[in-house]
Amino acid sequence: MTGPTGPDREAVRALAELLRKWWEFSAREGRPKPTQQSLAGRLGIDQTTLSRYLNPRHPSTAPLRTVELLHTVLRAPAADLPRARALAEEAAAVPARKSPHPADPTPADATPAYATPADATPADATPADATPADATPADAAPANEAPADASAVVVAPAPRRTATTRTATLRTALAFLAVLALGGGIGLGWSAFAHRAGQGGPSVAAAAASTGPAASRWPLARKGDLLWKARTVQYLLQAHGHAVEADGDFGAATAAAVKTFQAAHGLLADGKVGAQTWSHLIIRIDSHNDPKQAVVALQYLLNNTGTATDITGIFTPSTTRSLDTFQRARALPVTGVADPATWRALLASQGPAIHR
């Protein structure tokens, strides 16, 4: 079987985006959005598999039955179901590879038109035990030489198995040597780095942190953004007392609330959430300072990274453990406190941005 073709990959990605949209917009009419852990339990699959179905960046094909269950459990729009079914069927259809050698149409027990049966004597042939009247031993053709007009039997050349085997063996050996050379180079480089770190250089953890999500820039959120960018901004605006709906759609009302917030903090009131606005919008969360909507934003972002977190708006010990797990995985100081570096790493660890 061949792997997914270009159109098949596009169908897999489009299906993952649609399923992700269902999950993101399932929090409505007073219902909280289910965690991936609880949703996987209701579907009868493991959380890792569900995360792949909901990740457009590295998607896996969700079976049609799972797509229909997700539509029912998340109460997705009825109009989306036909498209989801079509995408699931298209993504699951993988064409079979055609054989480069078509099958011989001649039955096994049939005699080819150009072949002479072993027990048949051609009409124009002389029997083996008969000596032609006009033939003498001197002018008889040698046993290993075909007659000039003989073209009945076609003999296929033998395959060059020896050359092919030698070529494959040589390629395998070269690939093995290349792997050994690469492994040796990595080992030497790592040893030198570790030695330098031991002599006052940067620690391994610090180096990892400098290239991880914590080192990335603040994302730009603006009008037209959907899902995680819009929802995070809306939750944090609510935490600052602005009456906006957390519907996952960065529309005109959200942009107006951002402008009001920016003006109140002496920022350029352009309605876009960049680095300066994020630094004022985020709230440091710990056991002594835990505004409900800010905690909801924190729990929402943690859960979206694959760190199972219940979205309750309460900074519970379970949320602290999830935060510790995330910080440890991103080589951040494990403090259990949502500081600016942790907020920035959380935002950088979300899925692909969706803009309408």
Side-chain angles (χ1 to χ4, degrees):
M1 297 288 287
T2 59
T5 61
D8 292 330
R9 291 183 183 277
E10 182 63 23
V12 175
R13 186 190 63 79
L15 178 61
E17 286 185 351
L18 182 59
L19 299 183
R20 181 84 183 194
K21 178 182 175 182
W22 289 353
W23 179 56
E24 292 284 358
F25 283 96
S26 62
R28 59 183 181 274
E29 300 176 2
R31 299 192 311 270
K33 185 180 74 172
T35 65
Q36 290 189 14
Q37 184 178 16
S38 63
L39 184 58
R42 297 178 67 180
L43 297 176
I45 60 178
D46 60 271
Q47 184 180 349
T48 302
T49 301
L50 177 62
S51 296
R52 292 171 181 166
Y53 293 161
L54 302 179
N55 186 357
R57 185 176 297 175
H58 303 289
S60 292
T61 304
L64 179 59
R65 177 60 177 165
T66 301
V67 171
E68 293 174 341
L69 285 175
L70 277 169
H71 183 271
T72 301
V73 171
L74 297 177
R75 300 184 184 180
D80 286 354
L81 186 56
R83 177 170 177 260
R85 285 172 172 164
L87 288 173
E89 292 174 353
E90 181 181 352
V94 179
R97 178 182 298 157
K98 295 183 179 179
S99 172
H101 304 290
D104 188 353
T106 306
D109 57 351
T111 303
Y114 56 80
T116 302
D119 58 351
T121 303
D124 57 350
T126 304
D129 57 352
T131 303
D134 58 349
T136 60
D139 59 5
N144 60 349
E145 182 175 338
D149 60 348
S151 60
V153 180
V154 178
V155 180
R160 301 175 61 182
R161 296 182 181 275
T162 304
T164 304
T165 303
R166 289 177 179 173
T167 301
T169 303
L170 180 59
R171 289 178 178 174
T172 302
L174 289 176
F176 180 73
L177 291 175
V179 171
L180 286 179
L182 179 61
I186 293 175
L188 289 174
W190 184 259
S191 298
F193 180 80
H195 178 70
R196 178 173 176 265
Q199 294 181 342
S203 65
V204 174
S210 66
T211 58
S216 56
R217 298 179 179 179
W218 292 97
L220 176 64
R222 65 191 192 281
K223 187 177 179 180
D225 283 335
L226 301 174
L227 305 180
W228 66 267
K229 279 188 180 181
R231 202 179 293 275
T232 304
V233 170
Q234 291 164 342
Y235 284 142
L236 291 174
L237 283 172
Q238 289 176 349
H240 284 278
H242 293 267
V244 294
E245 182 182 0
D247 57 1
D249 186 350
F250 200 129
T254 301
V258 170
K259 290 179 181 179
T260 302
F261 176 85
Q262 291 170 326
H265 289 80
L267 303 172
L268 175 63
D270 58 0
K272 300 178 182 179
V273 182
Q276 292 187 354
T277 303
W278 278 119
S279 64
H280 288 78
L281 193 58
I282 61 171
I283 297 174
R284 178 186 172 91
I285 298 176
D286 55 32
S287 58
H288 302 291
N289 184 45
D290 53 352
K292 180 177 180 179
Q293 292 308 106
V295 174
V296 168
L298 174 65
Q299 293 170 333
Y300 169 76
L301 293 175
L302 281 170
N303 194 61
N304 276 0
T305 64
T307 308
T309 310
D310 290 326
I311 303 175
T312 62
I314 302 174
F315 194 63
T316 62
S318 176
T319 302
T320 303
R321 287 193 295 271
S322 296
L323 187 56
D324 289 345
T325 299
F326 175 82
Q327 290 173 329
R328 188 176 297 107
R330 299 306 190 279
L332 295 168
V334 182
T335 60
V337 175
D339 54 15
T342 301
W343 279 105
R344 186 171 58 180
L346 280 166
L347 290 168
S349 301
Q350 302 302 301
I354 300 177
H355 189 86
R356 60 177 169 82

